[in-house]
Amino acid sequence: AAFDAFDAVQPAPPADRPSRTLPDGGYAIMRSDWSRDADQVIFDVGPLGCPFSSGHGHADLLSVQCTFRGRPYVVDPGTFKYTGDPAGCRAHFRSSAAHSTVEVDGVGQAAPEGPFSWRSRPGARLVSWHHGDALDVAEGEHRGYEELPGGVVHRRKIVLVKGGFCAVVDDLVGSGEHRLDVRFQLAPMPLTIGGDGWATAGEADGPRLFVRAFSTTPIEVNLAEGAADPHRGWVSGDYGRLTPAPMLTYTLTTALPARLITLLLPSETLETPPPVSAIEADGALR
């Protein structure tokens, strides 16, 4: 009888809005609708690991995962495996450098202490949250870099225009000059960087994602895929499985405070990105 009752259930989308926060897990979910071809951004605004043990936690504060038109583009790199790892992949996959977030001065948000613990456990928090039919906005911050000279604080705002584009606004607050590495780990797919600063992800004859960063300071753009020293451009969709995938890194050295805006523009029809420029007002990008 239970099987018959289950088989009789008709699938239907949830009645609640598709965008929501998950405060216990520490995530803000921005989603256009419940369809299979929806846009979705997962924003990590929680602690490093669970409250009881950080053994499985990664230093991925304020990282993002982005799906556009139902296709995953910016993804979580995964775990690979826990032991039997002479190449050091365990350390890489749990580091800030493996995730789609910001690294400051080549230092991760937290320093590991053995394969299943951390010397410190910084956490992110959700500062503001708005969700609507056409637009979702979430802002978070973390203080994992506050012990660096100048007391660096990372604040990130995500703007999802549903059916349109996503903007990632990174503000680094503090003082002094610092190196900033803003990374986006993509799923396995072709990725090219044009002379105009736009990166294009996806097959030439299919839907694609255009990515470009804007700053008042010159930006160095790098692409890594399957690199070994240091590890860059890897994803692990299953335990013990390693797959090369493009990692896009924007690097700049600048005095703080500083702002970098990254535009992620999906398209099923455009072969080249449209002309886009950032506006500088009062010394900051708008």
Side-chain angles (χ1 to χ4, degrees), residues 86-163:
C89 286
R90 167 64 175 158
H92 166 68
F93 273 94
R94 63 203 292 250
S95 71
S96 300
H99 294 84
S100 301
T101 185
V102 179
E103 191 178 53
V104 180
D105 294 338
V107 177
Q109 300 162 346
E113 190 170 56
F116 289 98
S117 61
W118 299 88
R119 295 177 190 172
S120 61
R121 294 178 59 186
R125 71 183 185 94
L126 185 65
V127 176
S128 62
W129 167 247
H130 165 81
H131 62 91
D133 293 335
L135 180 76
D136 289 344
V137 182
E139 184 174 7
E141 73 168 23
H142 79 82
R143 297 177 179 269
Y145 298 125
E146 202 166 31
E147 294 185 2
L148 291 175
V152 181
V153 176
H154 179 203
R155 295 173 182 160
R156 170 170 275 190
K157 178 184 290 185
I158 310 295
V159 180
L160 176 64
V161 178
K162 300 177 182 182

Side-chain angles (χ1 to χ4, degrees), residues 196-227:
D196 56 358
W198 283 97
T200 305
E203 292 76 13
D205 58 349
R208 54 185 61 87
L209 176 70
F210 300 112
V211 185
R212 186 177 175 184
F214 300 87
S215 173
T216 56
T217 302
I219 302 173
E220 178 184 341
V221 187
N222 291 293
L223 172 62
E225 184 169 354

Side-chain angles (χ1 to χ4, degrees), residues 43-45 60-64 100-101 124 140-142 154 156:
F43 187 27
D44 187 335
V45 288
D60 58 354
L61 308 178
L62 302 187
S63 63
V64 293
S100 301
T101 185
E141 73 168 23
H142 79 82
H154 179 203
R156 170 170 275 190

